[in-house]
Amino acid sequence: MKQFLIAASLAVFAVGAVQAAGGPAPKKTGIEGEGYVWNAEGGEKNEALTLKGDLKKGKEVYEICGACHLPSGAGRPDGTFPQLAGQHSTVLIKQMADIRAGLRDNPTMYPFAATMTDAQDLADVSAYIESLCVPVDHGKYDEADKMLQIAKGRTLYKKECQECHGDNGEGVKDKFYPVIAGQHYAYLLRQMTEIRDGHRRNANPDMVKIISKYSDKDLVAISAYQSSLKMPGSMCK
């Protein structure tokens, strides 16, 4: 009953937020469009990147996010909502700004992202999320061939993914490469599939080139390995 009430409340809020925002964000030209630059200068994203995030205010802004991503930032093990805790603030700012600007399609999140008033809100909430420790317990690949898939995924990861995402999935903050340690297997698999198939319009073109050749089985293996990664000193129960 409690879960139903929360879901109903979120649905009502989402409708109101969309109306307040004047409807869903327009779909702007994406990764394959003429003139699109993956990480272009200017706009709300760059303004937010120059601002110092206030953790106290960020925690207040995050309250609405916690309904889906949980107060801990752990997201959902089934991958419906990603793990956010400990993510680089640069990555968070870019993704939220892209959703708000119509460069990334996320109709579930858009109504909530649209409630943020300005670039300072983006900076504040991103700083707060980045300060949270990465949960150890998250959705992992858990089938009978788990060890085989992880071994195959490790080989593929070290060949082409490790250079950007790091030995332990720590990413690179100033290059906007996300933390993937602690991320849910199902979410990783969905995002990589969408990037490969051209449905993630704001994807890094370098990653699009790398991932375009991978089969479904390859992506399962890579996701299985990535979801097993842990960052020493940054993770908690």
Side-chain angles (χ1 to χ4, degrees):
M1 183 65 179
K2 183 178 180 181
Q3 290 180 330
F4 173 79
L5 290 174
I6 292 174
S9 298
L10 287 174
V12 170
F13 179 84
V15 171
V18 170
Q19 292 174 341
K27 183 177 285 190
K28 294 185 179 180
T29 303
I31 199 72
E32 297 179 352
E34 183 178 351
Y36 174 77
V37 178
W38 172 67
N39 208 4
E41 295 293 324
E44 183 181 51
K45 179 202 72 179
N46 278 82
E47 182 182 355
L49 290 170
T50 65
L51 299 171
K52 181 177 177 58
D54 184 302
L55 295 183
K56 184 177 180 180
K57 292 180 179 178
K59 184 176 182 180
E60 294 173 358
V61 176
Y62 183 75
E63 286 183 3
I64 189 63
C65 310
C68 294
H69 295 283
L70 302 187
S72 65
R76 307 286 176 174
D78 64 2
T80 51
F81 299 108
Q83 188 281 114
L84 298 180
Q87 185 57 261
H88 299 308
S89 59
T90 53
V91 173
L92 294 164
I93 287 171
K94 173 174 167 51
Q95 295 306 316
M96 286 189 285
D98 281 358
I99 290 170
R100 284 162 63 86
L103 289 168
R104 177 176 175 182
D105 305 315
N106 193 324
T108 301
M109 184 172 170
Y110 174 73
F112 301 97
T115 64
M116 296 183 193
T117 57
D118 53 25
Q120 186 65 62
D121 271 359
L122 289 181
D124 292 344
V125 73
S126 297
Y128 174 70
I129 294 170
E130 185 180 45
S131 74
L132 299 173
C133 62
V134 181
V136 173
D137 299 321
H138 58 276
K140 301 180 179 69
Y141 183 84
D142 196 26
E143 299 297 329
D145 61 344
K146 179 177 180 178
M147 299 312 297
L148 180 65
Q149 293 288 8
I150 288 178
K152 177 183 176 182
R154 181 186 294 109
T155 299
L156 293 171
Y157 181 85
K158 289 183 177 297
K159 183 179 180 180
E160 294 189 292
C161 309
Q162 184 172 295
E163 182 178 351
C164 294
H165 291 289
D167 294 348
N168 300 304
E170 66 271 21
V172 182
K173 184 173 182 176
D174 61 357
K175 292 186 176 181
F176 297 82
Y177 299 154
V179 172
I180 54 176
Q183 190 56 265
H184 307 300
Y185 160 77
Y187 181 78
L188 289 165
L189 179 60
R190 185 170 75 251
Q191 292 306 308
M192 286 198 289
T193 302
E194 290 186 358
I195 290 171
R196 183 197 63 184
D197 296 345
H199 301 313
R200 174 82 179 259
R201 294 185 298 112
N202 76 331
N204 185 328
D206 292 334
M207 183 171 178
V208 174
K209 290 177 184 177
I210 290 172
I211 208 169
S212 62
K213 60 181 176 292
Y214 289 134
S215 67
D216 288 348
K217 291 182 179 179
D218 289 337
L219 295 185
V220 167
I222 296 170
S223 300
Y225 176 67
Q226 289 178 333
S227 67
S228 74
L229 293 172
K230 296 180 180 180
M231 297 193 301
S234 302
M235 304 187 76
C236 61
K237 289 187 177 181

